[in-house]
């Protein structure tokens, strides 16, 4: 058998801190062969990025590889000094960083950065002319799908979209045809369509160049889609490792099973998602014995006392006492159920709210912004345009209903939500809440209604004042609206309602975890007992288990308080799990509106079809059978939208009529859905 490109043996990584020496990685063993993609998955703090930094020898100054070997093509990288490592990076191994914008230098053009990268990492390139190096860079940009690469290579990072910057990062990483590519969350925070494009690109380059890839992500659906093997990390240990098909079909470690059951899916019709109690332990306070034992449903005394050993079970390596001869089964504890089992059928889960009155209505709602990019043109007396963020939206939300709004970044989702809540004023049209038109109300008339309309913002930490304790943040809404309450009692009630202990009241936002900050934001939003709650990306940036807890909480609060939700997200698995109906937006317009189950099973708009085909599902076999549609290009700018149907430049079904005539959002015969498409029957024929 061929020698692996990368071999990691008994790797141990430590950090030197004021509190002492902390062990971040313990006894890690794995290898990656040519043309193989190995995925690393686990919650934040489990050691995934530390593994990547150690392999690249890019640990921070207080980090050290205290034991083990890292062999790249047989050469032990741990024995090399930094000057010797520079000869390996870029030439034999390269890395795609998580945030392309902070990884690219903003003061140099893409051309300058790609030419310099070749000179720095390839000795042969130093003898080549700048023109030759630039030609190679353009060829690589063409390969990763940058349009008009010859012209655009002269531009700077800020002139590219997020997806394009990520492609440029991949192009730079592959400039010298490295044997090993380390990808650290390369698709995090990207739209599902852009994510599909990047994953298809990585997969294609692997097949074309035979590159070995170490892929880090927290998304189990991505692992299932592109990886050959998967390694599950927990608290610095490899908890389970094996073939991706066997691991997803029959996971052996309780942690792996819990992660899979926490993952929301439009195919999983459970009323609640499974959550993992507790959090990943701090490196300063690791438990004795198995590190997962405090959160494990199967844990026995043995687990809390002795470190488990690795066991080979059906070809998978598992760090768990369950498979040791000393294990004794307890009658009170059943083995974890099938991770793919559904709890409720779609009919049982769906609540028909069609007879409920509409609590929110928008009529021909428009929101335009001044084009600040044209400020200099305006000073010169030239006519400037508008940013058409929302264009003629007609929707209604019934009392007690959850409406999901989906679409790519730039489609107008957040602008629509803020306009509905009158956080920004509409340009044209009406917003009717509980039968009252609020679109033209003044500040004084609008304030009493604020208590009935609340928003959960996308970034909970930045939306909470860093100078106020949690107790003050939760009491503030009552003070603003002049409502007399026992503040201490009310704060404790709110914290309990969102599943937080009373001790969190004395903390500042920076002392909270991401999940805790999100729950505080929810507690503040529900403090005045609103009728309407709008959540903007409520699970963005959260680990799968924490996100599951937030989704369960939102469902529970809806039932207990009879809340009406509008959920904005690019995660269609979240929408499929929590929403009653879905509105699909594209370039400021609603292009499809339907019941969730109907929309997911039979999309009628080409854009909806493409979005659904790109959903990452934690099931490798299903991904193989799935017909994926990779959209070309990116969503156009709302400053200069295309004529006719806004989606026609990217639509596989487009005809001449689509380029000249804007389709109306119309009700389809014998259905309860509305679609803005000239030829919905083409999508229907494809879906059956």
């Amino acid at each position: 058998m061929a020698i692996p490109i990368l071999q990691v043996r008994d790797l141990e990584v430590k950090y030197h801190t004021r509190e002492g020496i902390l062990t971040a990685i313990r006894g890690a063993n794995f290898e990656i062969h040519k043309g193989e993609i190995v995925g690393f998955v686990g919650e934040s703090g489990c050691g995934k990025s530390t593994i990547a930094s150690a392999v690249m020898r890019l640990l921070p100054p207080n980090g050290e590889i205290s034991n083990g070997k890292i062999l790249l093509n047989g050469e032990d990288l741990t024995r090399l000094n930094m000057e010797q490592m520079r000869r390996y990076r870029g030439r034999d191994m390269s890395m795609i960083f998580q945030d392309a914008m902070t990884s690219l230098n903003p003061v140099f053009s893409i051309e300058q950065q790609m030419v310099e990268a070749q000179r720095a990492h390839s000795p042969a390139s130093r003898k080549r002319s700048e023109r030759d190096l630039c030609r190679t860079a353009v060829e690589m940009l063409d390969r990763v799908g940058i349009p008009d690469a010859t012209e655009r290579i002269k531009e700077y990072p800020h002139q590219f979209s997020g997806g394009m910057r990520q492609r440029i990062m991949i192009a730079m990483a592959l400039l010298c045809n490295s044997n090993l590519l380390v990808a650290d969350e390369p698709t995090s925070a990207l739209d599902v369509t852009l994510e599909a494009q990047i994953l298809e690109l990585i997969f294609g380059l692997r097949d074309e160049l035979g590159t070995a890839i170490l892929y880090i992500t927290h998304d189990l659906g991505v692992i299932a889609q592109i990886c050959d093997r998967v390694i599950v990390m927990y608290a610095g240990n490899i908890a389970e490792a094996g073939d991706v098909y066997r691991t997803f079909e029959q996971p052996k470690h309780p942690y792996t099973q819990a992660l899979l059951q926490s993952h929301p899916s439009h195919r999983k019709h459970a009323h609640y998602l499974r959550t993992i109690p507790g959090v990943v332990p701090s490196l300063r306070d690791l438990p004795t014995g198995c590190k997962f034992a405090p959160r494990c449903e199967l844990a026995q005394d043995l687990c809390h006392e002795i470190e488990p050993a690795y066991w080979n079970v059906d070809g998978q390596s598992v760090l768990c006492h369950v498979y040791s001869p000393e294990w004794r089964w307890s009658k009170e504890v059943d083995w974890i159920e099938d991770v793919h089992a559904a709890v409720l059928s779609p009919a049982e889960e769906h609540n028909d709210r069609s007879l409920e009155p509409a609590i929110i209505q928008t009529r021909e709602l428009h929101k335009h912004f001044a084009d600040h990019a044209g400020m200099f043109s305006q000073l010169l007396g030239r006519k400037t345009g508008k940013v058409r963020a929302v264009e003629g939206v007609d929707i209604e939300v019934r009392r007690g209903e959850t409406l999901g709004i989906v679409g790519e970044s730039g489609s107008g989702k957040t602008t629509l939500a803020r306009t509905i809540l009158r956080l920004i004023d509409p340009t044209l049209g009406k917003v009717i809440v509980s039968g009252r038109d609020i679109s033209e109300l003044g500040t004084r008339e609008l304030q009493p209604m604020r208590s009935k309309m609340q928003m959960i913002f996308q970034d909970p930490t930045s939306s909470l004042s860093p100078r106020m304790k949690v107790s003050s943040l939760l009491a503030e809404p009552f003070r603003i609206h002049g409502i007399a309450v026992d503040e201490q009692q009310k704060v404790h009630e709110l914290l309990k309602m969102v599943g937080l202990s009373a001790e969190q009241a004395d903390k500042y936002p920076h002392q909270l975890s991401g999940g805790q900050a999100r729950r505080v934001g929810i507690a503040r939003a529900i403090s005045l007992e609103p009728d309407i709650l709008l959540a903007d990306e409520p699970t963005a940036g959260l680990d799968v288990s924490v996100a599951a807890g937030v989704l369960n909480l939102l469902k529970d609060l809806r039932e207990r308080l009879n809340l009406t939700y509008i959920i904005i997200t690019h995660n269609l698995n979240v929408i499929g799990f929590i929403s009653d109906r879905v509105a699909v937006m594209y370039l400021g317009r609603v292009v499809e509106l339907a019941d969730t189950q109907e929309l997911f099973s039979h999309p009628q708009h080409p854009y909806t079809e493409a979005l659904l085909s790109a959903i990452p599902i934690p099931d490798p076999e299903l991904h193989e059978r799935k017909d994926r549609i990779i959209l070309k290009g990116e969503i156009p700018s709302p400053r200069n939208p295309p004529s006719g149907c806004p989606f026609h430049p990217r639509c596989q079904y487009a005809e001449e009529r689509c380029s000249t005539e804007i389709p109306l959002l119309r009700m389809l015969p014998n259905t309860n859905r509305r679609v803005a498409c000239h030829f919905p029957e083409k999508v229907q024929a494809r879906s059956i």
Side-chain angles (χ1 to χ4, degrees):
M1 188 175 181
I3 297 175
I5 297 292
L6 178 70
Q7 292 174 286
V8 173
R9 295 286 176 260
D10 298 320
L11 180 65
E12 183 179 80
V13 177
K14 293 184 176 182
Y15 289 110
H16 296 263
T17 69
R18 293 178 180 177
E19 290 81 8
I21 299 176
L22 308 178
T23 305
I25 302 294
R26 291 180 300 280
N29 289 277
F30 64 91
E31 57 188 36
I32 307 177
H33 291 81
K34 181 178 180 179
E36 185 179 38
I37 304 179
V38 176
F40 281 71
V41 70
E43 296 169 279
S44 299
C46 284
K48 306 186 300 297
S49 292
T50 297
I51 286 278
S53 298
V55 167
M56 294 294 297
R57 293 287 307 278
L58 291 174
L59 289 168
N62 68 326
E64 68 161 334
I65 298 173
S66 52
N67 189 41
K69 296 180 178 180
I70 301 173
L71 304 175
L72 182 67
N73 294 319
E75 180 75 30
D76 188 358
L77 302 182
T78 63
R79 296 180 178 273
L80 304 181
N81 58 38
M82 286 298 103
E83 185 59 34
Q84 292 171 322
M85 274 302 305
R86 282 176 59 86
R87 295 199 291 268
Y88 277 87
R89 295 195 197 103
R91 185 191 68 186
D92 298 290
M93 57 194 303
S94 52
M95 186 167 183
I96 304 171
F97 294 93
Q98 184 170 352
D99 187 349
M101 190 59 185
T102 58
S103 302
L104 296 171
N105 194 318
V107 301
F108 292 108
S109 69
I110 300 303
E111 179 183 37
Q112 291 171 302
Q113 295 185 60
M114 294 187 76
V115 167
E116 184 59 31
Q118 293 176 78
R119 286 176 173 161
H121 299 300
S122 174
S125 296
R126 295 166 192 163
K127 301 177 182 179
R128 297 170 57 195
S129 68
E130 185 165 336
R131 178 176 294 180
D132 284 342
L133 295 176
C134 184
R135 186 181 300 114
T136 300
V138 169
E139 290 172 357
M140 188 57 71
L141 290 178
D142 281 330
R143 178 179 284 182
V144 300
I146 300 293
D148 304 319
T150 304
E151 291 77 26
R152 298 212 68 183
I153 195 172
K154 307 287 186 183
E155 296 179 359
Y156 291 80
H158 73 274
Q159 295 175 282
F160 292 86
S161 67
M164 288 298 179
R165 285 195 293 267
Q166 205 65 49
R167 289 172 181 270
I168 292 168
M169 278 291 300
I170 294 172
M172 293 184 69
L174 296 173
L175 269 174
C176 300
N177 293 326
S178 303
N179 294 320
L180 175 69
L181 179 64
V182 179
D184 188 2
E185 297 274 12
T187 62
S188 65
L190 294 183
D191 294 317
V192 65
T193 50
L194 284 178
E195 179 180 70
Q197 291 177 24
I198 298 298
L199 294 179
E200 190 79 6
L201 172 62
I202 291 174
F203 205 72
L205 291 172
R206 187 280 301 267
D207 291 342
E208 179 184 348
L209 303 175
T211 308
I213 301 174
L214 189 162
Y215 195 99
I216 294 172
T217 182
H218 66 274
D219 193 329
L220 293 160
V222 171
I223 293 287
Q225 185 171 335
I226 70 166
C227 293
D228 302 298
R229 289 189 294 119
V230 58
I231 293 176
V232 182
M233 298 285 299
Y234 187 79
N237 289 326
I238 294 177
E240 182 169 358
D243 173 80
V244 70
Y245 288 91
R246 283 199 295 264
T247 304
F248 276 76
E249 181 63 29
Q250 292 292 330
K252 304 301 181 184
H253 198 285
Y255 180 58
T256 310
Q257 298 191 1
L259 284 178
L260 286 168
Q261 289 177 325
S262 299
H263 198 285
S265 172
H266 66 281
R267 294 175 176 270
K268 184 188 293 184
H269 305 296
H271 190 66
Y272 289 105
L273 294 169
R274 174 175 176 174
T275 59
I276 309 175
V279 296
V280 177
S282 166
L283 296 179
R284 300 179 181 85
D285 190 27
L286 290 173
T288 304
C290 174
K291 310 310 175 196
F292 186 61
R295 306 174 71 190
C296 182
E297 295 180 0
L298 302 181
Q300 299 181 8
D301 291 343
L302 174 69
C303 305
H304 295 283
E305 298 167 357
I306 303 174
E307 288 261 7
Y310 282 101
W311 301 91
N312 189 300
V313 186
D314 298 332
Q316 292 159 245
S317 177
V318 189
L319 184 69
C320 185
H321 283 299
V322 165
Y323 303 99
S324 69
E326 292 81 14
W327 182 263
R328 295 291 181 268
W329 285 103
S330 169
K331 293 182 180 180
E332 289 77 24
V333 180
D334 294 325
W335 184 235
I336 300 174
E337 65 272 16
D338 181 4
V339 295
H340 303 292
V343 179
L344 296 175
S345 69
E348 291 174 314
E349 167 65 8
H350 180 68
N351 295 316
D352 184 13
R353 303 185 187 275
S354 59
L355 300 179
E356 294 287 342
I359 192 171
I360 300 172
Q361 292 175 289
T362 68
R363 294 178 181 170
E364 279 297 311
L365 191 64
H366 295 255
K367 180 58 188 178
H368 300 163
F369 296 96
D371 186 358
H372 294 294
M375 187 179 296
F376 291 106
S377 297
Q378 192 173 11
L379 291 174
L380 294 173
R382 299 172 186 169
K383 187 177 180 180
T384 59
K386 302 174 182 176
V387 178
R388 301 175 181 273
V390 176
E391 281 284 88
V393 170
D394 289 307
I395 61 171
E396 63 177 34
V397 188
R398 306 178 187 105
R399 186 175 296 278
E401 181 184 38
T402 298
L403 175 71
I405 302 180
V406 301
E408 295 168 284
S409 297
S411 61
K413 305 185 301 295
T414 299
T415 301
L416 174 62
R418 289 173 177 264
T419 307
I420 289 173
L421 292 186
R422 279 294 308 275
L423 297 178
I424 53 178
D425 295 329
T427 303
L428 292 170
K430 294 182 178 181
V431 178
I432 301 171
V433 177
S434 299
R436 186 178 183 185
D437 183 3
I438 68 167
S439 53
E440 295 184 1
L441 292 182
T443 303
R444 183 173 297 180
E445 297 170 291
L446 194 59
Q447 184 171 350
M449 300 194 69
R450 291 287 186 208
S451 63
K452 298 301 179 184
M453 304 183 298
Q454 292 292 313
M455 186 166 186
I456 303 169
F457 294 93
Q458 181 172 349
D459 186 346
T461 303
S462 63
S463 64
L464 300 174
S465 173
R467 298 184 178 184
M468 298 173 68
K469 290 184 177 181
V470 169
S471 56
S472 297
L473 289 167
L474 296 183
E476 187 181 38
F478 299 101
R479 299 170 190 162
I480 291 173
H481 288 271
I483 301 173
V485 294
D486 183 331
E487 291 188 1
Q488 184 177 9
Q489 180 183 348
K490 199 65 180 178
V491 166
H492 289 174
E493 286 178 4
L494 289 168
L495 289 173
K496 183 178 180 181
M497 191 175 292
V498 297
L500 294 175
S501 62
E503 66 184 25
Q504 306 298 335
D506 290 327
K507 292 184 178 180
Y508 289 92
H510 73 274
Q511 296 175 300
L512 304 172
S513 68
Q516 289 172 335
R518 188 81 64 178
R519 287 172 181 264
V520 170
I522 295 173
R524 181 180 166 93
I526 65 173
S527 59
L528 299 177
E529 300 180 3
D531 296 323
I532 300 164
L533 200 58
L534 195 149
D536 190 0
E537 297 284 4
T539 61
L542 298 181
D543 290 318
V544 62
S545 56
V546 179
V550 170
L551 291 175
N552 288 343
L553 172 62
L554 290 175
K555 270 199 167 187
D556 182 54
L557 291 174
R558 182 181 69 176
E559 300 302 322
R560 290 164 58 187
L561 305 177
N562 194 30
L563 291 170
T564 301
Y565 284 145
I566 296 179
I567 306 287
I568 296 170
T569 182
H570 67 270
N571 188 331
L572 283 98
N573 279 318
V574 168
I575 290 297
F577 171 73
I578 198 171
S579 295
D580 300 308
R581 288 191 303 141
V582 184
V584 182
M585 290 193 69
Y586 188 80
L587 213 59
R589 300 177 183 271
V590 174
V591 297
E592 185 162 5
L593 181 62
D595 289 343
T596 302
Q597 291 301 324
E598 292 179 8
L599 184 130
F600 275 82
S601 58
H602 293 291
Q604 299 279 258
H605 194 281
Y607 182 55
T608 309
E609 180 188 34
L611 288 179
L612 296 180
S613 76
I615 298 176
I617 302 169
D619 187 337
E621 291 187 0
L622 184 59
H623 270 297
E624 281 197 350
R625 302 193 305 269
K626 191 177 177 183
D627 185 16
R628 285 185 295 167
I629 301 169
I630 306 298
L631 286 179
K632 295 181 180 179
E634 300 183 24
I635 189 168
S637 169
R639 292 184 176 89
N640 187 27
S643 60
C645 173
F647 185 62
H648 87 265
R650 305 170 74 190
C651 181
Q652 60 182 322
Y653 307 116
E655 297 185 9
E656 185 176 350
R657 177 187 178 189
C658 303
S659 63
T660 58
E661 184 181 338
I662 299 176
L664 300 176
L665 186 67
R666 57 190 174 91
M667 188 76 73
L668 294 184
N670 304 316
T671 69
N672 192 31
R673 74 166 75 201
R674 291 189 287 168
V675 180
C677 181
H678 293 306
F679 308 107
E681 66 279 358
K682 292 185 177 182
V683 182
Q684 184 181 35
R686 182 186 178 94
S687 299
I688 292 175

